[in-house]
Each structure stands twice: as structure tokens, then as C-alpha cells.
Amino acid sequence: MIDYSDPNASVAEVLGDPRVITGIGNVDRSEILWTVELDPRTEFGELTEDDCETLVEVAQIVTTSGLVDLNAYGRVGQMCTRCHGTIAHTKVSPDPRPIYWCPDCQKDPGEGLVLPLHLQRVEAHPAEVLYLNDARAARERIRIVDDQRRLG
């Protein structure tokens, strides 16, 4: 996946390209990007090799395991199950099919994509789980405070 020829293409376009990964449908693209909290319009060139590996791992889990619920796909105007924002849709050319996503919690990769704990296959050390849960809770608190400031 790292050798994709157009670094300016959106991540959603790349995931939908059967020359890159086969078996990824529109539902899967929306759910994969929602799962890793990535804006579907992010340019592929912004991703690191580790980000690409995370995307491929999540894609494999989403397409083969049935562990992921529909959190974004087809839910336009409904509340996001993660952040309580509003699910939207957008089109990424040249694909005419819409990608469903949450503009509030799906952002650019920033410090990198992380495979959610509930999808990780290896058992984490209890201290690591506590630390990561605390880090996620702190990130959520920051989002809530930012939302409160923004909304008044």
C-alpha cells in the first residue's frame, strides 16, 4: 500500500482502489476510516508506513471478522457513537459513492493512527491498558472542553 502512485489522492480513494487492496467496499471504507478516526479526505502522502500498516490491519479485521458495527455508514445526520457529533457524508473523486464519516472525531493523522484496543489481537500488559485508557479518556476530556468552549 505504501507504493501508491498518487500521494495527493485521498485515503478513501486509495482504500477503494482494487489495485491497492481488494475486497474493500464502500461500507468497509467508511467503517475502516471511522475506526482509526481518520478524515477520509486526508491525502495519502500524509500517512507514514506505520499508518498504512494500521489501515491494512483494520481493513483485514473489518472485512473478515464482523467485529465492527456500522458506526458511520448510512447514518447521515445521526449521532456519532464515539463522540456524539453528527455523521456526514462526502464524495471523493473519481468515485461517485459517498463516504460516511464524523467530522468531529475523524481528523488528519497527526501523531499517527492507532489500532483501537478492542481490535488488537495481542494481549496487552495490564499497565499498558490502564495507561492507554487514561490517555484516551484525557483526549476525550479535552475534546469535551473544546466543544464546550466552541459552543459556549
Side-chain angles (χ1 to χ4, degrees):
M1 192 162 141
I2 197 69
D3 292 331
Y4 194 74
S5 61
D6 183 6
N8 296 321
S10 72
V11 175
E13 283 179 78
V14 175
L15 283 176
D17 188 340
R19 296 172 298 167
V20 178
I21 299 179
T22 60
I24 303 290
N26 201 42
V27 174
D28 296 330
R29 286 192 305 167
S30 296
E31 296 304 321
I32 290 164
L33 295 171
W34 185 90
T35 299
V36 296
E37 300 181 30
L38 183 62
D39 185 329
R41 303 167 301 176
T42 301
E43 291 183 357
F44 178 72
E46 293 181 40
L47 300 181
T48 66
E49 189 168 339
D50 287 342
D51 292 338
C52 293
E53 288 175 11
T54 300
L55 274 176
V56 170
E57 189 170 350
V58 170
Q60 179 185 13
I61 292 167
V62 167
T63 59
T64 61
S65 70
L67 292 176
V68 180
D69 295 325
L70 292 181
N71 293 295
Y73 185 80
R75 298 188 65 236
V76 173
Q78 295 180 33
M79 184 173 53
C80 175
T81 58
R82 179 175 37 228
C83 75
H84 305 291
T86 303
I87 300 295
H89 62 67
T90 189
K91 292 186 181 178
V92 290
S93 50
D95 193 338
R97 299 172 299 168
I99 295 293
Y100 298 87
W101 67 301
C102 177
D104 293 332
C105 65
Q106 288 180 247
K107 305 293 182 186
D108 289 337
E111 297 177 16
L113 303 179
V114 177
L115 183 64
L117 280 179
H118 72 282
L119 295 180
Q120 291 181 9
R121 295 179 185 184
V122 294
E123 198 166 313
H125 187 277
E128 179 183 4
V129 172
L130 289 173
Y131 172 77
L132 290 173
N133 285 339
D134 287 347
R136 284 187 177 92
R139 188 169 81 179
E140 184 62 25
R141 284 192 300 272
I142 289 169
R143 284 185 182 162
I144 290 169
V145 169
D146 288 346
D147 286 347
Q148 286 174 340
R149 286 184 187 143
R150 190 178 69 224
L151 298 173

